[in-house]
């Protein structure tokens, strides 16, 4: 039989009576359960000693808090179970500050008229100084009516506590999470960063307001890459938090140039002197310390004592804002300290709360030394000490309390200004509301992702300046592509203002290849590459071998590339390209001006004789044809190659079809209509001109579609004519372009025939002569271009091609439309009906004679 005895000062003791037969049936597991219940009894006894405590507050709904106000840095070993006496352990001011922040947040919420207006929050907060041996608080959280019934129905075994804020470390969280989740009590940790908690199948009721390790490690790696520190040591706390950080760091640097030269786990028994000697022996310049503040303090103090110099220390967010170390004597000698930390958020009213709170007395009986739920001594800190303590993880505590309050607010339907008294909220009901959290707190949007990790916030990059402060020198946003910014000018380096280096081997000179000398890719010798080969200095394996040049290339010894051939094409900035593009824009401007002039004089004889509405179609198509000109410049691509020909072939077909119809109409009216009156009436009735134009456009569009689908134009590299150059161009596939070009030539031939037939028509009414002249210019232009292409194969072929297109467009604009514009502007007397009728009558008399 097991009998428990406990006292507030000596802790728990127990004794056993002589074993009976029934006692022999008690298993080891049952003994542990009974011991835990004894711990709970001890806790309840201590709690009864002091009711007025800053660790307790009555309320309609209770929040649990787990804060390591003291740290069990040197665990005591006992031959039998005993409660941990936290008061005998070192007091941590930063943890006490976080503890006070929870009290402040609850007090702020209780005084709010918007959040939980008619509901009060209370709390039960515990000093969880040990990672694995503090269980009375957990038993209290999961107990109902003072009893722990792990075999009972979870939702019938009602817990006093609705949700738990904490704990701080990953090991503590891993210890307590299963017990809390057994009763479906949500917990929001403000410091447990291990990636294990992101696995919701194992920790469904766990959330956190601190960035997980993967984000902190990502930032540390970005800093290493930013400063080109490739030869690094990784020192970590030998627990769940540190082991997870090491695992993530090794994965993150796998495909980078960073080499992990030295790894060591830290604990209270670590020989720091030996570690620092080994780091010096490996000539490591950058040391990552991924550990909590009490572990980092011991390491840095040892480095100061061992006279370690000229190192870069990268501090994790757990100790980067430490208030004591930056002011230590000799801290400047160890080198430069750069850290990552949460953005420092000023919480309004907190300082006033601390000063008021520290003036209160929570326990009259000082001899009992009880002013919290456990035997502890928290009275040694002044209000000034608490306010000036390390502010790390303060906002996570503050936001965690507010997240629970908002979730409770939503569960109680408090949106109308009063919470619903008829709703009873159980711990498990808060989880759904917590997952949906989306509110703004001190200009921060508080949300959780699907893993319960914070979906908000950013980190600061800090530098320990000579004044002993952690100065912010940069920032890192977790939700943006351009994530990291560091102001290098703010950092006062220990190496005379220069950025320190941390490499195993210096980079090889240009043209030298790396040869491995060990197991790390950062350690190598340098050898020059011989003639006919080159080396690329990048992060791939090509940096470790000489690459042979191609047959058409060569290189001297120590080359980084085979540069026999230069790549050439016409850039947009070329003078010829600029002139041609200006000419194209001028063409568009002229066509617009002509269109306006023709629209103003739409009902005059000159416009009607030029084609009437058909003129506007021709002008629009001429402008659309000019699109092709712009794609002859710049580095050729498949899309550029298609657009070099497609707009011109398609819309110039419409132009030629219009001129075919126009020249046919001129001849038809003056020479054929009288002989074939029925054909003339049919042409007028069914709008034969538009039918012909539409059919021509459809045939050309179909031809282009078929040709480009089967054999689309593509880029090619001209390597035959110039051995020292590669000329980029477009491969005009004959199969794709033969049909469209043949159809265009056919229209040109028909247009030429009809226009030539009308060359003897009246002078001022002779559109056919103008069309004939334009066609002759068109044919001459393309003959000259074809001849040039046969004789010349340089990079200026695209300019000549664009010039030929522009000339083809200007030939119709200048020689067909400009004369008509001249008549309308300067010879308006010729733009009258009587004048044109006189010409036609004279022509008719001439024909009849």
């Amino acid at each position: 039989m097991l009998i428990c005895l406990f006292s507030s000062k000596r802790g728990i003791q127990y004794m056993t009576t002589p074993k009976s037969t029934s006692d022999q049936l008690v298993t080891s597991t049952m003994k542990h359960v009974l011991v835990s219940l004894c711990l709970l009894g001890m806790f309840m006894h201590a709690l009864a000693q002091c009711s007025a405590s800053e660790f307790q507050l009555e309320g309609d709904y209770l929040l649990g808090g787990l804060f390591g106000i003291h740290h069990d840095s040197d665990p005591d070993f006992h031959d039998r179970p005993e409660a941990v006496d936290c008061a005998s352990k070192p007091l941590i001011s930063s943890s006490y500050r976080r503890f006070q922040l929870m009290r402040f947040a609850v007090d702020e919420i209780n005084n709010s008229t918007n959040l939980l207006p008619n509901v009060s929050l209370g709390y039960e907060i515990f000093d969880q100084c040990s990672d694995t041996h503090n269980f009375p608080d957990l038993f209290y959280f999961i107990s109902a009516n003072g009893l722990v019934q792990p075999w009972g129905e979870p939702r019938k075994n009602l817990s006093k506590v609705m949700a738990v804020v904490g704990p701080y470390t990953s090991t503590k969280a891993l210890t307590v999470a299963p017990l809390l989740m057994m009763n479906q009590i949500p917990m929001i940790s403000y410091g447990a960063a291990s990636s294990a908690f992101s696995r919701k199948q194992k920790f469904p009721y766990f959330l956190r307001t601190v960035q997980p390790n993967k984000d902190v490690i990502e930032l540390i790696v970005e800093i290493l890459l930013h400063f080109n520190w490739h030869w690094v040591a990784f020192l970590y706390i030998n627990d769940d938090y540190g082991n997870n950080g090491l695992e993530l760091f090794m994965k993150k640097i796998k495909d980078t140039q960073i080499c992990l030269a030295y790894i060591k786990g830290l604990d209270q028994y670590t020989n720091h002197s030996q570690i620092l000697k080994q780091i010096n022996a490996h000539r490591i310049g950058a040391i990552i310390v991924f550990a909590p503040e009490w572990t980092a303090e011991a390491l840095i103090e040892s480095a100061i004592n061992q006279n370690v110099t000229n190192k870069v220390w990268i501090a994790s967010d757990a100790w980067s804002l430490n208030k004591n170390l930056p002011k230590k004597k000799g801290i400047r000698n160890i080198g430069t300290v750069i850290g990552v930390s949460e953005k420092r958020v000023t919480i309004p009213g907190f300082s006033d709360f601390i000063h008021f709170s520290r003036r209160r007395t929570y326990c009259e009986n000082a001899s009992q030394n009880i002013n919290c739920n456990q035997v502890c001594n928290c009275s040694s800190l002044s209000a000034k000490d608490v306010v000036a303590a390390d502010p790390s993880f303060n906002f996570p505590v503050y936001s965690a309390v507010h997240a629970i309050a908002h979730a409770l607010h939503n569960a109680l339907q408090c949106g109308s200004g009063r919470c619903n008294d008829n709703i009873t909220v159980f711990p498990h009901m808060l989880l759904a509301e917590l997952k949906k959290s989306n509110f703004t707190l001190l200009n921060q949007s508080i949300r959780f992702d699907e893993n319960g990790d914070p979906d908000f916030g950013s980190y600061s990059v800090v530098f320990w300046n000579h004044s002993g402060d952690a100065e912010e020198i940069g920032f890192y946003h977790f939700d943006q592509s351009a994530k990291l910014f560091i102001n290098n000018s703010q950092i006062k380096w220990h190496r005379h203002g220069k950025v320190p280096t941390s490499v195993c081997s210096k980079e090889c000179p240009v043209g030298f290849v790396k040869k491995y000398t060990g197991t790390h890719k950062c350690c190598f010798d340098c050898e020059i590459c011989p003639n006919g080969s080159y080396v690329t200095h990048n992060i791939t394996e090509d940096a470790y071998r000489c690459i042979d040049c191609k047959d058409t290339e060569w290189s001297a010894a120590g080359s980084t590339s085979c540069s026999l051939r230069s790549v050439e094409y016409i850039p947009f900035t070329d003078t010829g390209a600029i002139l041609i593009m200006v000419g194209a824009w001028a063409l568009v401007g002229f066509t617009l001006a002509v269109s306006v002039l023709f629209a103003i004089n739409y009902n005059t004889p000159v416009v009607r004789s030029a084609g009437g509405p058909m003129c506007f179609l021709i002008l629009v198509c001429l402008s659309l044809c000019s699109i092709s000109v712009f794609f002859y410049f710049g580095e050729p691509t498949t899309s550029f190659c298609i657009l070099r020909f497609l707009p011109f072939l398609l819309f110039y077909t419409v132009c030629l079809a219009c001129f075919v119809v126009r020249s046919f109409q001129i001849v038809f009216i003056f020479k054929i209509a009288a002989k074939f009156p029925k054909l003339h009436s049919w042409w007028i009735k069914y709008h034969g001109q538009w039918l012909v134009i539409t059919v021509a456009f459809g045939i050309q569009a179909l031809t282009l579609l078929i040709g480009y689908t089967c054999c689309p134009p593509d880029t090619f590299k001209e390597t035959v004519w110039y051995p020292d150059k590669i000329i980029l161009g477009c491969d005009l596939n004959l199969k794709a372009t033969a049909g469209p070009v043949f159809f265009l030539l056919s229209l040109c031939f028909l247009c030429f025939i009809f226009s030539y037939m009308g060359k003897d028509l009246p002078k001022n009414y002779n559109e056919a002569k103008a069309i004939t002249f334009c066609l002759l210019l068109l044919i001459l232009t393309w003959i000259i271009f074809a001849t040039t292409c046969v004789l010349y194969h340089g990079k200026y072929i695209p300019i000549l091609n664009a010039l030929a297109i522009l000339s083809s467009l200007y030939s119709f604009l200048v020689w067909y439309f400009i004369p008509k514009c001249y008549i309308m502007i300067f010879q308006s007397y010729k733009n009258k009906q009587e004048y044109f009728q006189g010409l036609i009558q004279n022509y008719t008399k001439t024909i009849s004679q």
Side-chain angles (χ1 to χ4, degrees), residues 302-357:
S302 178
I304 295 173
N305 295 333
Q306 295 294 322
N307 197 28
V308 175
T309 58
N310 298 331
K311 303 294 182 186
V312 175
W313 303 82
I314 301 176
S316 67
D317 53 343
W319 66 282
S320 59
L321 300 183
N322 187 285
K323 294 295 184 178
N324 299 322
L325 285 177
K327 295 178 172 61
K328 283 275 187 184
K329 183 179 180 181
I331 190 67
R332 298 275 109 26
N333 298 331
I334 68 170
T336 304
V337 180
I338 293 176
V340 301
S341 73
E342 295 178 339
K343 283 280 186 181
R344 279 172 277 195
V345 179
T346 301
I347 301 175
F350 177 62
S351 295
D352 295 336
F353 173 83
I354 290 299
H355 284 90
F356 173 78
S357 177

